[in-house]
Amino acid sequence: MTSAWPVRRPTENAALRAADRSERRLPPVPAILADLLTANQLGDRHGVNLCAHLVARVVTQGEVQ
């Protein structure tokens, strides 16, 4: 039995196309920093990493256009 991995589903393609068409606004930096502090207090290293990268993305968004 042979199977292709990963199996693409029609709803997945539709969701990806919809995400590409919609503009997702980034949250304000103070809100991200509050989440960063919370993740740090909880010891959530992955959350800290995500928040830190999101802050960098928000800060550089105005410069790269």
Side-chain angles (χ1 to χ4, degrees):
M1 180 168 136
T2 61
S3 64
W5 181 259
V7 176
R8 302 280 298 189
R9 291 166 177 80
T11 54
E12 182 181 4
N13 290 333
L16 290 174
R17 281 193 305 272
D20 285 342
R21 286 191 304 264
S22 65
E23 181 179 343
R24 290 170 302 282
R25 298 180 57 103
L26 296 172
V29 174
I32 302 170
L33 292 178
D35 292 339
L36 178 78
L37 292 175
T38 302
N40 191 33
Q41 290 172 349
L42 294 174
D44 181 7
R45 293 186 336 182
H46 184 66
V48 169
N49 192 12
L50 286 174
C51 290
H53 283 90
L54 187 57
V55 167
R57 187 170 150 206
V58 169
V59 170
T60 60
Q61 181 184 18
E63 300 172 10
V64 181
Q65 288 191 19

